[in-house]
Amino acid sequence: MPRPMRGPLATSQGRCPSVTPGTWAAATVAVRPWQRWQQRMPQALEHADGSWAWVVLLATMVTQGLTLGFPTCIGIFFTELQWEFQASNSETSWIPSILMAVLHMAGPLCSILVGRFGCRVTTMLGGMLASLGMVASSFSRNLSQLYFTAGFITGLGMCFSFQSSVTVLGFYFVRRRVLANALASMGVSLGITLWPLLSRYLLEDLGWRGTFLVFGGVFLHCCICGAIMRPVATSVAPETKEYPPPPPETPALGCVAACGRTIQRHLAFDILRHNTGYCVYVLGVMWSLLGFPLPQVFLVPYAMWHRVDEQQAALLISIIGFSNIFLRPLAGLMAGRPAFASHRKYLFSLAFLLNGLTNLVCAASGDFWVLVGYCLVYSVSMSGIGALIFQVLMDIVPMDQFPRALGLFTVLDGFAFLISPPLAGLLLDATNNFSYVFFMSSFFLISAALFMGGSFYALQKKEQGKQAVVADAFEQDIFLEAKDGPGKQQSPVIMYVTSV
């Protein structure tokens, strides 16, 4: 005789009437090992805005520095990898492009994992994947293996660790959430500062294979940071869900419908069709990202091509990161002031314009001190873009639709990151001149800035015109009502409004 069930499937009589003796084995298998482990282990719940929140903030800063700061040091290994595999510039450029593309495109998958397992497990899983990818890449024998290990696996792990660590801050901080996000973004600047220096130091002693092996150990620190992110107690009582038996329909149709609902829940294609401002924003940023990451990939090879010392060339990226430590919080504070609220979209376009014009200066001269000045000005525009890119999206899209809009935005931007470095590599192979890479970057950035600035201005004028028509109609209605008097029958006023 089977033993009475205990748990959510048990009834007050100790047995589940919907489960026959022949289905006891299937019901036992349906209880996942993860769910049994969660039931056995007690959960140490933390409270929002508590003392442990600052420890989690420190862990988030380290995680962001390890993940978002890492792609900037790939340019230091560009020449070494090119010489090792006798590859062209376009073939070598696929490594950073795949890494950055997966880092952005895997956002919806990370959201699903966070909803299923929580931020703690997802961050630790990302650290293990990033470590596995770098260790495996140190044994790669061709570029195709590097594409998969250092590009896809490492990028996927970095995405899981980064996005889940950012998500957990929203649970730990309520009153000081803006301050927490600003402090956490400083970790990116610290990573951009330290990764190139560490890469250059290890490359001289260990070579690129030994350096990648050490990087695998460094990424395991994401697991430590993830272990710090304890679950947070919420004021909402957990829902008791009843799972009915599956309907006897074809499983293929249910899978397709589930995939469609998941895509609709995480990717805002409906907003892209109906919100013109969001469409302009996505197209403009996608176009600009065809040129924005190029200096981070090709600045070090460009400096070495102009016979700048290898240590000084690596120092250029660190100058950009060190400047961002101070400039990014300052840009965030200025962008958050009420006086700039109605002009954020134009400041965002102006930051891209300044970034594109700065690349023209870099292409004109390869002297070390000219490049130092270029890095300082580049840091100003980069800080403005980093501080405004999500704030402008919040201004365009309602907050209840923001997660879906952000999911689609990151996926489409991933395609731009995937195309940009190999496209520049093809141009470099055809011309054998690094200056054309920076000219290409300036073209995409300047044209995107002009497109977004002009489109936002036209949309603003159009909205003001609509408001003026509504105001005129309202005043006309009030005038007719006062003229006819309260005792007269008002004739209906028909107004036709056409909008092109």
Side-chain angles (χ1 to χ4, degrees), residues 143-206:
L143 280 178
S144 299
Q145 295 176 0
L146 272 179
Y147 295 158
F148 180 72
T149 55
F152 181 78
I153 297 180
T154 302
L156 190 65
M158 288 164 57
C159 176
F160 290 169
S161 295
F162 161 65
Q163 296 205 17
S164 56
S165 66
V166 173
T167 304
V168 80
L169 281 184
F171 295 104
Y172 267 97
F173 288 91
V174 178
R175 290 183 288 111
R176 301 183 180 92
R177 186 173 295 170
V178 176
L179 175 63
N181 285 313
L183 293 176
S185 65
M186 292 177 61
V188 183
S189 304
L190 289 171
I192 297 175
T193 304
L194 299 177
W195 271 116
L197 299 178
L198 178 63
S199 301
R200 186 73 255 172
Y201 175 77
L202 294 177
L203 184 61
E204 292 180 351
D205 295 337
L206 304 178

Side-chain angles (χ1 to χ4, degrees), residues 24-35:
W24 278 105
T28 305
V29 174
V31 180
R32 297 180 176 86
W34 174 259
Q35 294 174 340

Side-chain angles (χ1 to χ4, degrees), residues 124-463:
M124 298 174 69
L125 174 63
M128 288 187 290
L129 282 177
S131 175
L132 176 64
M134 294 310 298
V135 171
S137 64
S138 64
F139 299 97
S140 299
R141 297 300 176 187
N142 51 59
L143 280 178
S144 299
Q145 295 176 0
L146 272 179
Y147 295 158
F148 180 72
T149 55
F152 181 78
I153 297 180
T154 302
L156 190 65
M158 288 164 57
C159 176
F160 290 169
S161 295
F162 161 65
Q163 296 205 17
S164 56
S165 66
V166 173
T167 304
V168 80
L169 281 184
F171 295 104
Y172 267 97
F173 288 91
V174 178
R175 290 183 288 111
R176 301 183 180 92
R177 186 173 295 170
V178 176
L179 175 63
N181 285 313
L183 293 176
S185 65
M186 292 177 61
V188 183
S189 304
L190 289 171
I192 297 175
T193 304
L194 299 177
W195 271 116
L197 299 178
L198 178 63
S199 301
R200 186 73 255 172
Y201 175 77
L202 294 177
L203 184 61
E204 292 180 351
D205 295 337
L206 304 178
W208 72 268
R209 294 184 184 273
T211 304
F212 280 14
L213 189 62
V214 173
F215 285 172
V218 173
F219 277 119
L220 286 176
H221 288 79
C222 292
C223 299
I224 301 175
C225 296
I228 293 174
M229 301 172 185
R230 300 171 182 171
V232 185
T234 59
S235 58
V236 181
E239 262 186 75
T240 303
K241 296 183 179 179
E242 297 181 359
Y243 298 94
E249 269 119 24
T250 56
L253 183 60
C255 181
V256 172
C259 291
R261 287 195 300 267
T262 302
I263 293 175
Q264 186 178 4
R265 185 168 64 249
H266 293 282
L267 302 179
F269 285 103
D270 54 337
I271 301 178
L272 186 65
R273 290 194 304 267
H274 300 103
N275 191 330
T276 310
Y278 179 65
C279 184
V280 169
Y281 174 84
V282 170
L283 292 177
V285 176
M286 277 187 65
W287 186 257
S288 66
L289 289 181
L290 293 175
F292 181 74
L294 297 183
Q296 304 173 26
V297 177
F298 292 98
L299 180 60
V300 175
Y302 173 71
M304 296 172 61
W305 184 63
H306 280 281
R307 299 182 180 179
V308 175
D309 183 68
E310 295 179 358
Q311 294 285 352
Q312 292 180 329
L315 186 62
L316 294 173
I317 300 293
S318 298
I319 291 174
I320 295 176
F322 184 75
S323 303
N324 270 268
I325 296 176
F326 308 99
L327 292 174
R328 182 168 294 202
L330 181 61
L333 290 174
M334 291 183 62
R337 294 181 65 87
F340 296 102
S342 60
H343 304 289
R344 289 193 191 109
K345 294 180 284 189
Y346 304 110
L347 293 175
F348 184 61
S349 304
L350 183 62
F352 275 113
L353 181 63
L354 178 62
N355 196 279
L357 294 175
T358 307
N359 291 333
L360 293 177
V361 177
C362 179
S365 175
D367 182 72
F368 174 71
W369 293 107
V370 174
L371 293 179
V372 169
Y374 158 76
C375 292
L376 293 175
V377 182
Y378 181 87
S379 300
V380 175
S381 59
M382 183 179 180
S383 301
I385 293 172
L388 290 170
I389 186 167
F390 295 121
Q391 185 62 51
V392 172
L393 182 58
M394 293 178 186
D395 294 340
I396 295 174
V397 178
M399 282 306 299
D400 59 334
Q401 300 293 334
F402 179 77
R404 298 174 60 237
L406 181 61
L408 180 60
F409 171 70
T410 54
V411 170
L412 295 179
D413 285 351
F415 286 105
F417 278 113
L418 184 65
I419 297 171
S420 177
L423 189 62
L426 287 174
L427 179 62
L428 185 57
D429 291 332
T431 60
N432 198 25
N433 190 340
F434 278 92
S435 299
Y436 287 103
V437 174
F438 290 89
F439 286 133
M440 170 185 166
S441 176
S442 297
F443 166 74
F444 285 115
L445 288 165
I446 294 174
S447 57
L450 296 176
F451 167 73
M452 286 191 293
S455 299
F456 286 143
Y457 181 76
L459 290 174
Q460 184 179 5
K461 288 297 182 183
K462 180 180 177 181
E463 187 67 25

